């Protein structure tokens, strides 16, 4: 019935192929006189989604998550993942060949300090690590009496004989209708920030920053309309964009050349060398700039100034055009969500649907809007114990039937030219247990606490994070991921620098779009997450002595009333009923009659 366009369900490689690759890799290290090597899940710009040609970690280990790192030594090897991927890594990685360890606490450097011995030579690719990451590796090597060795070519590439070619996705213009600000005006604002930093030039090593600055989009990676590229912005004169010109049509190249020189990617090193030779101070983004760039600037006589990319914050604060685009995208997305949720309620209790069926159906409903460019990430469709895997990605092997008595967790999003969406709903299939309702209600109360929050201008995400966890903590439980991430405007669904988490140190500014997604995960049982996107707005408080902010909820989709127990408070109930009334008011006019009837029941006020 449904034909998926954007998501596939192939199982990752495993078994003999991976065993042979690890053996071949160790042989290559011996040939290069290295006793170990570090393989991050990264491309040259630290992108979350990378092209197939950069999936070195997955190719070598079998682990396909979006964050991770591997270390191979002569007799031991380890894969490091964060809390989102602990269960997934255990399923994908051969634990006879690899140990699985923490990416954060303790970090991989602790493992290295214990397992390296004096005289070891640990290799790394300076194009795939930031300078901060290299400094941490260097410290671990020093403690063990080992040497950290940069390599000119990656040893994984030497044995990856069928490695895919780099992508050549066509670049498109993201016009004023969607961008809301001309490139020249953005460059002027960037140069104001450069003056504050006291630098002579700025390297845009994050392709998202290049795309935003020059109002372009691309198709080089899955799920994010990203044109892989760099830019060099001097404090005076024209900037230079470094991009494979095979991606550019004549009109797109003309668009870029109005404000910048256009050069091939391999010309970046020469251009940076020439700039650095005068002793220039050159700003680098500490989060995405490769260590190779710092090394190049230093060797040419320049001064690398590592810090926060000023474009990241400029990009995170949406202008009025982008805000109106986000609202329109969410209203459009809501129609697809309502059709999907009605379909699930009708079909899932029959016990014939699978997780893949749910993914394909939701994507089809989004495509029916006529505006979908891609899904914004691979849809997470997990029922029963699969729902407890935070970033579960269904494959044909793991595909589970949706049966009465289970919960279905579905986390998905769409890429539209006017905005990016991301929404999670947890759906009761049949009658939920008392435990499911208790956990769901605790998650919902935390979600509502964030949605209703009012906070002084300058408040950080870390200061709000506790609001989402408080009701879970009261039961001695928690969730092992952040409460919210920033979201781009027809760019990355996971955008910095702002976030709502224990580590969220960036002040939340009006115009930022973030997710609000507390959850609970019972291992081998079920998963629960409720996610809406929210916009930071001014809050009008009578008698307020300082500027106050709050959140406008953008996502418009019913929250499953069957999973809510009696402990919800009157104020929380008022928020829920008001939210559902708004969903009904804004979405209902765009639905067919059958879905209207379903929506009326799904959003009926709770007493």
């Amino acid at each position: 019935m449904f034909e998926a366009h954007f998501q596939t369900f192939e199982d990752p490689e495993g078994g003999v192929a991976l065993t042979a690759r690890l053996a071949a890799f160790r042989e290559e290290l011996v040939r290069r006189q290295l006793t170990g090597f570090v393989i991050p899940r990264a491309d040259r710009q630290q992108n979350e989604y990378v092209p197939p040609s950069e999936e070195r970690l997955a190719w070598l280990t079998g682990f396909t998550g979006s964050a991770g790192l591997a270390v191979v030594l002569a007799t031991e090897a380890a894969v490091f993942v964060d809390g989102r991927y602990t269960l997934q890594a255990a399923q994908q990685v051969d634990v006879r060949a690899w140990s699985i360890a923490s990416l954060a606490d303790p970090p991989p450097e602790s493992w290295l300090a214990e397992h390296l011995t004096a005289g070891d030579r640990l290799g790394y690719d300076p194009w795939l690590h930031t300078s901060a990451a290299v400094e941490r590796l260097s410290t671990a090597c020093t403690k063990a009496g080992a040497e950290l060795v940069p390599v000119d070519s990656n040893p994984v590439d030497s044995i990856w004989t069928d490695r895919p070619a780099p992508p050549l996705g066509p670049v498109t213009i993201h016009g004023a209708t969607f961008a809301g600000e001309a490139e020249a005006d953005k460059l002027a604002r960037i140069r104001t920030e450069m003056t504050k930093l006291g630098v002579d030039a700025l390297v845009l090593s994050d392709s998202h920053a290049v795309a935003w600055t020059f109002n372009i989009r691309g198709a080089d990676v899955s799920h994010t309309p990203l044109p892989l590229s760099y830019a060099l912005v001097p404090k005076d004169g024209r900037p230079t964009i470094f991009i494979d010109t095979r991606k550019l049509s004549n009109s797109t190249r003309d668009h870029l050349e109005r404000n910048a020189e256009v050069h091939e990617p391999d010309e970046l090193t020469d251009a940076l060398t020439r700039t650095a030779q005068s002793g220039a101070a050159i700003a680098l983004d500490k989060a995405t700039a490769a260590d190779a760039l710092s090394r190049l600037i230093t060797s040419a006589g320049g001064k690398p100034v590592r810090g926060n990319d000023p474009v990241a914050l400029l990009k995170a604060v949406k202008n009025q055009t982008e805000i109106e685009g986000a609202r329109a995208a969410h209203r459009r997305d809501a129609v697809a969500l309502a059709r999907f949720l009605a379909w699930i309620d009708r079909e899932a209790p029959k016990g014939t649907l699978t997780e893949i069926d749910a993914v394909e159906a939701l994507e089809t409903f989004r495509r029916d809007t006529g505006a979908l460019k891609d899904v914004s990430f691979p849809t997470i469709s997990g029922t029963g114990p699969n729902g407890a895997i935070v970033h579960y990605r269904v494959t044909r092997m793991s595909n589970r039937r949706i049966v009465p008595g289970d919960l279905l967790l579905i986390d998905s999003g769409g890429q539209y030219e006017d905005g990016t969406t991301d929404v999670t709903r947890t759906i009761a299939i049949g009658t939920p247990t008392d435990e499911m309702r208790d956990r769901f209600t605790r998650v919902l109360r935390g979600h509502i606490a964030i949605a209703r929050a009012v906070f002084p201008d300058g408040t950080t995400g870390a200061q709000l994070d506790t609001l989402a966890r408080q009701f879970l903590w009261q039961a001695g439980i928690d969730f092992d991921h952040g409460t919210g991430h920033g979201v781009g405007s027809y760019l990355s669904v996971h955008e910095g620098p702002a976030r709502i988490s224990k580590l969220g140190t960036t002040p939340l500014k009006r115009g930022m779009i973030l997710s609000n997604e507390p959850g609970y995960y019972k291992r081998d049982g079920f998963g629960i997450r409720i996610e809406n996107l929210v916009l930071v707005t001014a809050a009008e408080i009578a008698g307020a002595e300082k500027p106050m902010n709050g959140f406008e909820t953008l996502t418009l989709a019913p929250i499953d009333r069957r999973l809510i127990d009696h402990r919800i408070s009157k104020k929380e109930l008022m928020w829920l009923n008001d939210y559902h009334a708004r969903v009904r008011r804004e979405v209902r006019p765009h639905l067919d009659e059958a879905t209207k009837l379903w929506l009326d029941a799904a959003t009926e006020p709770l007493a």
Side-chain angles (χ1 to χ4, degrees):
M1 176 181 177
F2 298 107
E3 180 186 355
H5 285 185
F6 298 122
Q7 189 166 339
T8 58
F9 308 99
E10 284 72 29
D11 294 285
E13 292 182 276
V16 175
L18 294 184
T19 302
R21 288 172 192 174
L22 181 57
F25 186 67
R26 284 190 164 120
E27 290 176 6
E28 179 65 17
L29 295 185
V30 170
R31 191 182 70 78
R32 297 185 181 215
Q33 298 181 321
L34 296 171
T35 49
F37 200 79
V38 183
I39 306 100
R41 200 281 181 179
D43 62 5
R44 290 187 168 204
Q45 298 170 312
Q46 304 296 312
N47 285 307
E48 177 181 14
Y49 296 112
V50 302
S53 57
E54 301 298 313
E55 289 279 15
R56 296 177 181 87
L57 181 64
W59 183 84
L60 187 62
T61 70
F63 172 66
T64 61
S66 64
L69 179 141
V71 177
V72 176
L73 301 179
T75 59
E76 295 184 80
V79 176
F80 301 85
V81 299
D82 64 28
R84 299 170 297 170
Y85 293 115
T86 305
L87 298 181
Q88 178 178 329
Q91 294 175 356
Q92 293 183 326
V93 173
D94 182 355
V95 295
R96 294 166 299 180
W98 302 85
S99 58
I100 299 172
S102 167
L103 189 61
D105 188 20
E109 293 78 29
S110 299
W111 187 91
L112 281 169
E114 292 177 7
H115 290 82
L116 289 171
T117 58
D120 279 348
R121 302 180 79 246
L122 180 69
Y124 78 100
D125 184 339
W127 280 103
L128 301 182
H129 299 260
T130 65
S131 294
V134 171
E135 287 166 4
R136 293 192 296 271
L137 292 173
S138 179
T139 299
C141 287
T142 299
K143 285 182 180 178
E147 180 186 1
L148 185 64
V149 182
V151 299
D152 293 328
S153 64
N154 196 302
V156 175
D157 300 348
S158 297
I159 63 168
W160 190 357
T161 54
D162 57 349
R163 182 183 172 210
L168 288 173
V171 175
T172 58
I173 300 166
H174 194 59
T177 305
F178 301 116
E181 185 179 9
E183 306 86 75
D185 295 330
K186 291 181 177 181
L187 285 165
R189 290 206 285 146
I190 291 169
R191 286 192 163 114
T192 297
E193 297 303 315
M194 290 171 61
T195 299
K196 294 176 185 176
L197 294 172
V199 296
D200 301 300
L202 166 67
V203 176
L204 298 184
S205 54
D206 181 354
S207 291
H208 301 84
V210 180
W212 178 85
T213 301
F214 296 98
N215 289 333
I216 55 173
R217 297 295 186 267
D220 283 335
V221 302
S222 300
H223 315 308
T224 303
L226 203 60
L228 293 177
S229 51
Y230 288 88
L232 180 60
V233 182
K235 66 179 180 181
D236 301 306
R238 283 165 64 83
T240 304
I241 296 171
F242 301 91
I243 189 167
D244 192 320
T245 54
R246 290 176 292 176
K247 303 174 188 178
L248 306 179
S249 66
N250 289 338
S251 60
T252 304
R253 182 160 190 152
D254 289 345
H255 165 85
L256 290 174
E257 289 182 339
R258 285 202 296 266
N259 293 282
E261 304 298 325
V262 178
H263 288 189
E264 295 292 335
D266 59 8
E267 297 179 60
L268 171 65
T269 53
D270 287 343
L272 203 52
T273 298
R274 289 194 300 272
T275 303
Q277 283 172 340
S278 64
I282 302 174
L284 295 172
D285 178 19
K286 65 182 180 182
T288 65
D291 182 58
L293 297 175
S294 285
R295 293 163 57 87
L296 187 153
I297 293 168
T298 301
S299 64
K303 178 186 176 184
V305 180
R306 301 194 330 245
N308 296 323
D309 179 1
V311 175
L313 191 55
L314 297 176
K315 174 165 54 71
V317 178
K318 303 329 185 243
N319 60 45
Q320 199 56 43
T321 298
E322 292 170 319
I323 290 169
E324 290 303 327
R327 289 174 177 144
H330 279 85
R331 284 192 296 269
R332 185 186 310 115
D333 206 53
V335 174
L337 288 166
R339 293 181 64 200
F340 168 77
L341 292 170
W343 177 82
I344 280 285
D345 263 8
R346 184 175 66 249
E347 299 296 330
K350 299 175 184 177
T352 59
L353 295 181
T354 67
E355 294 166 338
I356 288 178
D357 291 332
V359 174
E360 293 181 336
L362 180 49
E363 186 176 311
T364 297
F365 288 128
R366 282 196 167 106
R367 284 205 311 273
D368 286 348
T369 66
L372 184 70
K373 294 297 185 181
D374 198 345
V375 294
S376 54
F377 56 96
T379 298
I380 298 167
S381 173
T383 187
N386 288 346
I389 303 172
V390 178
H391 274 209
Y392 170 69
R393 182 174 180 180
V394 58
T395 67
R396 301 200 183 281
M397 185 179 296
S398 71
N399 189 26
R400 181 181 171 90
R401 195 169 296 281
I402 302 168
V403 297
D406 275 350
L407 298 181
L408 172 64
L409 186 156
I410 189 141
D411 184 353
S412 68
Q415 290 283 12
Y416 306 97
E417 280 189 285
D418 50 2
T420 300
T421 70
D422 183 1
V423 51
T424 308
R425 288 296 180 264
T426 305
I427 306 158
I429 311 299
T431 304
T433 65
D434 289 343
E435 181 187 30
M436 290 172 177
R437 296 178 75 235
D438 172 85
R439 296 324 194 219
F440 183 91
T441 303
R442 292 179 187 277
V443 171
L444 175 60
R445 296 182 74 190
H447 177 95
I448 294 172
I450 293 291
R452 295 180 62 239
V454 178
F455 46 93
D457 200 34
T459 298
T460 67
Q463 290 172 290
L464 298 180
D465 183 72
T466 303
L467 297 176
R469 302 177 189 271
Q470 57 183 313
F471 304 106
L472 293 164
W473 286 353
Q474 288 169 8
I477 53 181
D478 200 358
F479 54 94
D480 197 12
H481 58 75
T483 298
H485 54 81
V487 178
S489 182
Y490 191 44
L491 271 176
S492 176
V493 75
H494 299 130
E495 178 178 270
R499 52 182 168 167
I500 303 172
S501 83
K502 298 170 185 176
L503 304 176
T505 57
T506 299
L508 305 186
K509 294 181 176 291
R510 295 169 191 175
M512 288 180 169
I513 296 175
L514 302 110
S515 65
N516 170 12
E517 52 176 309
Y520 170 74
Y521 311 91
K522 182 179 181 180
R523 185 167 186 156
D524 299 325
F526 56 84
I528 293 166
R529 188 159 64 249
I530 305 168
E531 178 186 17
N532 287 341
L533 297 192
V534 295
L535 171 71
V536 182
T537 60
E540 301 300 329
I541 306 295
E545 297 180 355
K546 56 176 64 178
M548 302 295 289
N549 294 334
F551 292 119
E552 171 193 331
T553 297
L554 297 172
T555 305
L556 298 167
I559 294 168
D560 198 334
R561 297 156 68 257
R562 298 164 294 194
L563 283 163
I564 302 170
D565 69 20
H566 64 278
R567 284 169 308 159
I568 191 168
S569 73
K570 288 183 179 179
K571 288 184 177 179
E572 291 161 346
L573 189 62
M574 184 181 299
W575 181 92
L576 181 69
N577 286 339
D578 287 347
Y579 175 70
H580 276 160
R582 181 179 160 222
V583 171
R584 191 165 56 250
R585 183 172 62 251
E586 297 195 30
V587 180
R588 193 179 193 278
H590 307 287
L591 300 175
D592 60 88
E593 289 303 318
T595 309
K596 284 179 180 178
L597 292 175
W598 174 86
L599 185 68
D600 289 344
T603 58
E604 185 177 343
L606 277 175

